[in-house]
């Protein structure tokens, strides 16, 4: 199989991610006008619980298949067969769990929603190992085309269903359709063989690596979703819908920027798993790139938060603006911390990754609980944002000191220029702009902050770092 470079892998992943971003923004803009915050809040609750069940579908097996270069095709088929059995068991459990969920949240609609979403759970379980095989084979082009096609088809069907008045059912059916299309495509791309009696020895071979990856994902799930679960229980569904909208809007750059390089990092860097110094310095270049983008994106989202929410979703989402502004301040730090997982996987230190994630999750969960006790989604957003910022320092102290044996102080000094840039950009809201047209105001604000940002890049001589991941032929 021909060698795939990091830049080519990132390029294909970028095409997939940014195509999904465009589809996602258009999809959200249309649906936000067809559905209410209450309906979004209803689906947000059961979607979080679905995500918890999906963690058990994979159990870290996917990343282990990528990391272990000695697995035979027969052993991969064993692991694939076990994930199918696990998926079937979890589907039944999820259907059963929908009854106590409906009782806890005092809404009977969670029973039919749970039954529908259980098929998404099964299909995603069946997709885990084929996805890992495609990544292991570095078939990023196939993954890109499949992802775009599945997203477009499922999104169009969802819009039609929402327009026909299916409401919350349209939102949950979307995830089922997307998983089903992906499953069919994977079956045609990766011919894995199901075994009625798969060997458990194949699971034992990767268990020492995969278990800590799974535990890290498990802890991370609660830190990322406990706020939605608590708001759904103790606040109104409208509050949950508004908070969920602001949170997902904040997450978009985190998903579509680190998400571009994340899938490529592990398959590529795992080839250098015996040379941690190489991995550390390669990763430091990537972090510098992400930090320069992140400080701008945080300031940009904070500056134009009002215009973004109203233009994309309409006036009914106005209460989401302030939580979104507050959460936007943490984007810079989250862009960095959302990439350390593949690094731990590449150097084989999943146990250390687990302890790092456990420490981070303890911090974030405590912040969520404090925010909920204070009352109001603005307080929750404030506490969560502060926790994500502190988490940056905690996570990278563990990685630099324990993972690579490097100086944490030198690591932090790498990013002092971004502190200067961000400090200037965050003062731009103090400039008065008397423009009534919201679209025109957004355009003017965007031009101002982009211009100031590039001037600061030139003054601090940091523009060269933004070329790190850009192919030479694209720079001219």
């Amino acid at each position: 199989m021909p060698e795939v470079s990091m830049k080519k892998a990132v390029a294909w992943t970028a095409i997939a991610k940014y195509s999904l971003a465009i589809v996602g923004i258009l999809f959200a803009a249309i649906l936000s006008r067809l559905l209410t915050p209450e309906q979004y809040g209803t689906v947000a609750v059961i979607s979080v619980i679905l995500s918890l069940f999906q963690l058990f579908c994979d159990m870290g097996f996917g990343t282990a298949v990528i990391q272990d270069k000695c697995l035979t095709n027969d052993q991969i088929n064993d692991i694939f067969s076990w994930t199918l059995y696990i998926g079937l068991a979890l589907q039944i459990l999820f259907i059963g769990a929908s009854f106590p969920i409906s009782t806890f949240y005092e809404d009977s609609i969670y029973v039919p929603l749970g039954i529908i979403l259980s098929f998404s759970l099964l299909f995603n379980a069946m997709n885990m190992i084929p996805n890992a095989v495609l990544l292991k084979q570095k078939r990023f082009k196939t993954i890109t085309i499949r992802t775009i096609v599945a997203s477009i088809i499922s999104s169009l069907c969802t819009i039609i269903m929402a327009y026909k008045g299916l409401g919350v059912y349209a939102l949950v059916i979307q995830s089922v359709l997307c998983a089903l299309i992906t499953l069919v495509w994977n079956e045609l791309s990766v011919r894995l063989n199901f075994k009625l009696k798969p060997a458990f020895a194949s699971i034992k071979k990767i268990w020492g690596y995969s278990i800590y990856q799974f535990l890290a994902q498990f802890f991370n799930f609660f830190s990322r979703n406990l706020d939605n679960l608590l708001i759904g229980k103790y606040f109104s569904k409208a509050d949950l819908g508004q908070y969920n909208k602001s949170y997902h809007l904040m997450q978009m750059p985190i998903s579509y920027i680190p998400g571009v390089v994340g899938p490529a990092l592990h398959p590529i860097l795992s080839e250098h798993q015996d040379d941690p110094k190489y991995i550390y310095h390669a990763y430091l270049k990537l972090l510098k790139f992400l930090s320069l983008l992140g400080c701008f994106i945080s300031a940009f989202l904070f500056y134009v938060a009002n215009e973004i929410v109203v233009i994309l979703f309409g006036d009914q989402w106005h209460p989401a603006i302030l939580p979104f502004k507050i959460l936007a301040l943490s984007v810079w730090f989250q862009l960095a911390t959302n990439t350390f997982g593949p690094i731990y996987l590449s150097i084989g230190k999943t146990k250390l990754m687990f302890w790092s994630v456990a420490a981070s999750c303890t911090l974030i969960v405590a912040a969520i609980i404090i925010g909920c006790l204070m009352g109001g989604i603005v307080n929750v957003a404030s506490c969560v944002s502060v926790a994500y910022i502190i988490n940056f320092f905690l996570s990278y102290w563990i990685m630099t000191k324990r993972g690579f044996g490097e100086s944490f102080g030198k690591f932090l000094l790498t990013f002092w220029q971004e502190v200067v840039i961000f400090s200037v950009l965050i003062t731009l809201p103090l400039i008065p702009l008397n423009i009534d047209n919201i679209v025109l105001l957004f355009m003017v604000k965007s031009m101002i902050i982009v211009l100031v940002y590039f001037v600061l890049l030139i003054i601090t001589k940091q523009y060269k770092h933004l070329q790190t991941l850009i192919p030479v032929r694209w720079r001219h």
Side-chain angles (χ1 to χ4, degrees):
M1 181 174 295
E3 186 66 23
V4 178
S5 70
M6 173 69 79
K7 288 182 179 178
K8 181 175 285 189
V10 170
W12 277 114
T13 310
I15 292 171
K17 284 288 182 180
Y18 296 142
S19 297
L20 287 181
I22 295 170
V23 172
I25 290 171
L26 293 174
F27 171 64
I30 296 170
L31 280 184
S32 295
R33 288 164 169 81
L34 294 174
L35 303 174
T36 66
E38 289 82 2
Q39 289 172 318
Y40 270 94
T42 298
V43 175
V45 168
I46 198 160
S47 295
V48 169
I49 299 170
L50 176 71
S51 299
L52 173 60
F53 275 75
Q54 285 177 340
L55 289 179
F56 291 92
C57 291
D58 181 33
M59 296 287 288
F61 297 158
T63 54
V65 167
I66 296 172
Q67 182 76 3
D68 195 328
K69 309 303 179 185
C70 299
L71 283 175
T72 65
N73 289 335
D74 192 57
Q75 289 172 325
I76 292 174
N77 286 327
D78 285 331
I79 298 168
F80 167 69
S81 302
W82 279 113
T83 59
L84 192 150
Y85 282 128
I86 292 170
L88 283 170
L90 289 172
Q91 181 185 25
I92 295 170
L93 286 173
F94 188 74
I95 293 173
S98 64
F99 290 92
I101 291 170
S102 67
T103 301
F104 184 77
Y105 287 101
E106 300 176 350
D107 195 336
S108 61
I109 197 172
Y110 288 116
V111 174
L113 292 182
I115 294 172
I116 295 170
L117 282 173
S118 71
F119 288 94
S120 174
L121 187 65
L122 174 63
F123 298 152
N124 281 323
M126 297 172 68
N127 280 322
M128 290 293 180
I129 301 306
N131 282 337
V133 172
L134 287 171
L135 285 168
K136 187 171 187 174
Q137 295 174 349
K138 303 181 180 69
R139 294 169 64 182
F140 297 103
K141 181 178 180 180
T142 298
I143 295 170
T144 297
I145 297 172
R146 180 206 67 193
T147 303
I148 294 172
V149 170
S151 177
I152 291 174
I153 293 175
S154 60
S155 296
L156 286 174
C157 291
T158 303
I159 291 171
I160 293 170
M161 287 185 289
Y163 181 76
K164 293 293 185 179
L166 289 177
V168 293
Y169 293 101
L171 288 174
V172 296
I173 291 174
Q174 192 270 344
S175 65
V176 178
L177 284 175
C178 190
L180 177 59
I181 295 168
T182 302
L183 176 63
V184 173
W185 199 296
N186 281 344
E187 181 61 28
L188 296 174
S189 302
V190 181
R191 298 287 184 175
L192 295 179
N193 298 318
F194 171 73
K195 293 184 175 182
L196 192 62
K197 295 182 179 181
F200 191 70
S202 300
I203 295 292
K204 291 175 65 176
K205 186 176 189 298
I206 62 172
W207 185 250
Y209 178 90
S210 67
I211 183 60
Y212 289 107
Q213 158 72 357
F214 164 71
L215 289 173
Q217 289 179 324
F218 184 79
F219 275 88
N220 191 54
F221 164 83
F222 282 102
S223 71
R224 291 284 177 178
N225 294 285
L226 183 63
D227 46 359
N228 282 300
L229 291 172
L230 292 179
I231 292 172
K233 174 60 179 176
Y234 298 108
F235 295 62
S236 70
K237 282 189 172 63
D239 283 337
L240 176 57
Q242 298 286 358
Y243 179 84
N244 189 258
K245 182 66 71 176
S246 65
Y247 189 89
H248 280 287
L249 194 56
M250 175 272 292
Q251 281 285 313
M252 288 190 72
I254 297 169
S255 174
Y256 294 120
I257 297 177
V260 167
V261 295
L265 280 177
H266 185 206
I268 299 296
L269 291 182
S270 63
E271 301 289 346
H272 304 276
Q273 57 190 275
D274 297 325
D275 188 2
K277 290 286 184 182
Y278 172 89
I279 293 176
Y280 177 75
H281 290 293
Y283 183 49
L284 204 58
K285 291 179 181 179
L286 171 63
L287 279 181
K288 184 67 176 180
F289 175 88
L290 291 175
S291 182
L292 283 166
L293 283 181
C295 71
F296 168 75
I297 293 171
S298 271
F300 176 80
L301 295 179
F302 181 82
Y303 188 37
V304 299
N306 181 77
E307 291 75 29
I308 288 177
V309 172
V310 175
I311 291 172
L312 285 181
F313 308 127
D315 290 330
Q316 68 170 331
W317 296 94
H318 199 273
I321 294 172
L322 185 53
F324 173 55
K325 290 185 70 172
I326 296 169
L327 290 168
L329 295 175
S330 69
V331 168
W332 175 13
F333 302 90
Q334 291 189 71
L335 279 175
T337 53
N338 271 35
T339 59
F340 71 64
I343 305 305
Y344 278 120
L345 297 176
S346 297
I347 60 178
K349 293 190 176 183
T350 54
K351 186 175 182 179
L352 181 61
M353 179 180 70
F354 161 70
W355 288 114
S356 175
V357 171
S360 299
C361 291
T362 302
L363 167 68
I364 296 168
V365 166
I368 292 169
I369 294 172
I370 292 171
C372 289
L373 291 174
M374 293 171 66
I377 60 175
V378 172
N379 287 324
V380 176
S382 300
C383 291
V384 169
S385 189
V386 170
Y388 281 140
I389 293 171
I390 297 173
N391 180 54
F392 169 87
F393 297 95
L394 174 63
S395 298
Y396 281 105
W397 179 82
I398 295 173
M399 173 176 279
T400 54
K401 296 291 289 184
R402 300 292 301 279
F404 291 102
E406 300 286 343
S407 169
F408 183 58
K410 289 183 179 179
F411 171 83
L412 289 180
L413 284 175
T414 306
F415 310 106
W416 72 266
Q417 296 94 340
E418 290 90 291
V419 176
V420 174
I421 294 172
F422 182 76
S423 299
V424 175
L425 294 179
I426 206 67
T427 64
L428 291 178
L430 298 176
I431 301 174
L433 294 173
N434 297 317
I435 302 174
D436 294 330
N437 186 288
I438 195 167
V439 176
L440 180 59
L441 180 59
F442 172 77
M443 294 173 63
V444 171
K445 281 187 172 182
S446 299
M447 287 188 290
I448 290 173
I449 196 169
V450 168
L451 178 61
V452 174
Y453 175 64
F454 278 108
V455 170
L456 290 169
L457 284 179
I458 294 171
I459 292 173
T460 58
K461 299 181 181 180
Q462 297 303 294
Y463 57 88
K464 58 185 178 181
H465 295 288
L466 292 179
Q467 299 177 341
T468 302
L469 297 179
I470 302 175
V472 174
R473 66 180 182 275
W474 292 359
R475 300 178 192 168
H476 304 288

